[in-house]
């Protein structure tokens, strides 16, 4: 088993990564728990719910399952209220523990429920998608969507533990694997050129779900994320580098309509656009732009961006991204592979990138 420790000002917690971890999750539930609320969705419940309930049955407290509807379209207050309704009807107190079993949608909602139920209770993340295992379950960002914007209502609330069972990836659709791998290679681009090269050499194993290669990628990704959030829990500085490719990616998601491309697919394409922009404004060599494009293609993500009704619309979508400060768009850029900087860019360079990358 791999253990990665996350240390933030608001708390310290372990990430356990291993095959078969689902059967061990009771160990991560605090001993003084008064009840356990297992938050998941019907698809994941059908695959893994019973196993998790059996594992939790060794504890002496009640285990109640709350099933929320599947999908990004249900990441909202109405789903959140289902958690609160169940918990308040059962009169759970502040020692109740939420266990979030699912992808990023469940993790973000269950985490937000834990952040605000009775002003905050403890929760355990049990991420079941690759994207959730390498990214969303670590770092304490929780949220729901609002009709006027994605993830606009939320809180920082760290879990007490993250339990990653690498076996659950066996049932994940291939597109979801590709989407998660986009976030994996992002860490190489912003933090570690050697890790990027490792991804290039092991791409067949990553895409083909070789267990030892995937679990190494998950461990390294969790280490990178833990390092960044440990330095900047609330994104006042360095944590922003995790958004490499995301200003472009969010514009693609919003422009096509959420759900057309998966988040990670849009980020993968956004990594290529960020590389093109870096080539124009901070000297990333042309050969490295090619490496980024080749690897994004090899993991199975799209390499050509959608036109989205022209450059003006594209730019207005990017300005709508919540990371744009007072209308000026700041980008995460790579002067070289393995190093990230955040800076505003010249609109001319941006238009050149859109002309080069969009269909
Ligand atoms: P998701 O949670 O919608 O899961 C994708 C699909 O896979 C769902 O239909 C789900 O039911 C299914 N699924 C989950 N695990 C499965 C398994 N093991 N086998 C078969 N099917 C399975 O999507 P996601 O990509 O995991 O998460 C996306 C969400 O994460 C977005 O809402 C995004 O905003 C959020 N996010 C949050 C952070 C953060 O820091 N909090 C970071 C990145 C993304
Ligand atoms: Zn992302």
């Amino acid at each position: 088993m791999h253990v990665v420790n996350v240390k933030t000002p608001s708390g310290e917690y372990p990430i356990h990564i291993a095959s078969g971890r689902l059967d061990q999750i009771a160990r991560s539930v605090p001993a003084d728990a008064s009840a356990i609320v297992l938050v998941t969705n019907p698809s994941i419940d059908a695959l893994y719910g019973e196993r998790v309930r059996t594992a939790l049955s060794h504890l002496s407290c009640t285990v109640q399952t709350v099933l929320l509807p599947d999908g990004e379209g249900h990441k909202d207050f109405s789903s959140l209220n289902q958690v609160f309704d169940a918990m308040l009807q059962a009169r759970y107190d502040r020692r109740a523990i939420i266990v979030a079993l699912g992808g990023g949608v469940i993790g973000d909602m269950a985490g937000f429920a834990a952040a605000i139920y009775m002003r905050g209770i403890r929760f355990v993340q049990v991420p079941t998608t690759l994207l959730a295992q390498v990214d969303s379950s670590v770092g304490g960002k929780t949220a729901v969507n609002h009709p006027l914007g994605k993830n606009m209502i939320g809180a920082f609330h760290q879990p007490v533990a993250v339990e990653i069972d690498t076996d659950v990836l066996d049932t994940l659709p291939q597109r979801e694997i590709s989407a998660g791998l986009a976030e994996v290679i992002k860490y190489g681009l912003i933090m570690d050129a050697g890790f990027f090269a490792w991804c290039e050499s092991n791409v067949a194993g990553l895409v083909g779900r070789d267990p030892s290669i995937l679990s190494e990628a998950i461990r390294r990704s969790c280490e990178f994320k833990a390092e960044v959030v440990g330095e900047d829990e609330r994104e006042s500085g360095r944590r922003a580098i995790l958004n490499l490719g995301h200003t472009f990616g969010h514009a693609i998601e919003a422009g096509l309509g959420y759900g057309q491309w998966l988040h990670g697919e849009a980020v993968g394409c956004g990594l290529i656009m960020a590389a093109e922009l870096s080539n124009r404004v901070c000297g990333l060599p042309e050969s490295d732009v090619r490496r980024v494009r080749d690897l994004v293609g090899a993991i199975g993500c799209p390499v050509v961006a959608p036109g989205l009704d022209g450059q003006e619309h594209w730019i207005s979508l990017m300005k709508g991204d919540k990371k744009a400060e007072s209308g000026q768009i700041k980008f995460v850029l790579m002067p070289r592979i393995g190093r990230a900087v955040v800076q505003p860019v010249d609109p001319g360079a941006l238009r050149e990138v859109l002309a080069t990358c969009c269909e």
Side-chain angles (χ1 to χ4, degrees):
M1 179 176 70
H2 297 302
V3 184
V4 177
N5 286 307
V6 187
K7 287 185 193 151
T8 73
S10 54
E12 211 176 308
Y13 56 92
I15 307 170
H16 298 127
I17 306 162
S19 153
R21 217 39 226 172
L22 283 188
D23 303 315
Q24 310 295 325
I25 64 174
R27 297 181 189 190
S28 283
V29 174
D32 64 341
S34 58
I36 295 170
V37 183
L38 176 65
V39 179
T40 187
N41 73 34
S43 345
I44 301 162
D45 189 61
L47 290 165
Y48 304 111
E50 222 30 66
R51 237 178 99 193
V52 169
R53 278 185 289 275
T54 303
L56 293 172
S57 67
H58 303 307
L59 301 167
S60 54
C61 58
T62 322
V63 179
Q64 179 171 356
T65 303
V66 177
L67 294 181
L68 302 181
D70 194 355
E72 185 72 38
H74 295 285
K75 189 178 165 185
D76 57 16
F77 267 104
S78 136
S79 299
L80 205 60
N81 257 326
Q82 290 187 40
V83 181
F84 299 142
D85 289 348
M87 293 182 72
L88 289 169
Q89 270 159 23
R91 298 180 181 278
Y92 292 144
D93 63 12
R94 300 196 64 235
R95 284 182 300 119
I97 306 287
I98 290 181
V99 174
L101 174 70
V105 169
I106 288 291
D108 278 16
M109 281 198 291
F112 189 38
I116 60 179
Y117 183 76
M118 295 194 172
R119 301 193 182 83
I121 60 170
R122 294 163 294 177
F123 82 115
V124 177
Q125 286 275 20
V126 188
T128 61
T129 62
L130 182 59
L131 182 126
Q133 295 186 346
V134 300
D135 188 359
S136 65
S137 65
V138 178
K141 277 193 185 179
T142 73
V144 293
N145 299 330
H146 184 277
L148 295 178
K150 197 172 174 301
N151 293 330
M152 283 295 165
I153 312 294
F156 287 97
H157 189 56
Q158 302 291 346
V160 292
V162 182
E163 289 292 343
I164 298 180
D165 188 333
T166 49
D167 299 345
V168 302
L169 300 177
D170 291 349
T171 54
L172 206 60
Q174 193 62 31
R175 257 184 95 183
E176 302 280 354
I177 295 284
S178 298
L181 289 175
E183 304 280 6
V184 171
I185 67 176
K186 177 191 79 180
Y187 292 115
L189 291 174
I190 58 178
M191 296 177 78
D192 188 333
F195 180 65
F196 185 82
W198 180 89
C199 292
E200 291 177 313
S201 313
N202 290 284
V203 69
L206 290 168
V207 175
R209 310 182 199 204
D210 177 291
S212 66
I213 291 172
L214 260 189
S215 87
E216 175 70 4
I218 294 165
R219 177 180 70 83
R220 296 296 305 277
S221 298
C222 288
E223 285 170 354
F224 290 126
K225 181 124 190 208
E227 183 186 326
V228 175
V229 302
E231 282 175 28
D232 179 19
E233 184 180 17
R234 304 215 161 202
E235 200 168 319
S236 49
R238 188 164 185 234
R239 189 166 177 168
I241 67 171
L242 296 171
N243 296 320
L244 180 76
H246 281 61
T247 303
F248 293 109
H250 288 153
I252 295 174
E253 288 183 273
L256 292 177
Y258 288 100
Q260 295 300 305
W261 284 20
L262 300 177
H263 170 75
E265 291 175 325
V267 167
C269 191
L271 294 175
I272 299 172
M273 300 176 87
E276 289 281 6
L277 190 58
S278 303
N279 170 250
R280 284 165 179 80
V281 305
C282 59
L284 182 73
E286 189 68 45
S287 55
D288 285 344
V289 179
R290 213 169 308 123
R291 284 174 71 193
V292 176
R293 180 176 288 104
D294 289 349
L295 188 54
V296 169
I299 61 171
C301 285
V303 296
V304 178
L308 304 183
D309 300 325
Q311 293 201 354
E312 293 319 311
H313 188 49
W314 245 105
I315 291 171
S316 74
L317 286 165
M318 288 193 285
K319 284 189 174 160
D321 190 70
K322 71 172 176 298
K323 271 99 199 173
E325 282 168 22
S326 57
Q328 192 187 39
I329 317 173
K330 279 191 183 167
F331 285 87
V332 185
L333 299 165
M334 296 164 269
R336 54 181 166 77
I337 288 180
R339 188 174 142 65
V341 295
V342 182
Q343 63 182 65
V345 299
D346 164 50
L350 191 55
R351 286 177 191 280
E352 267 181 54
V353 168
L354 293 174
T356 309
C357 296
C358 298
E359 63 186 8

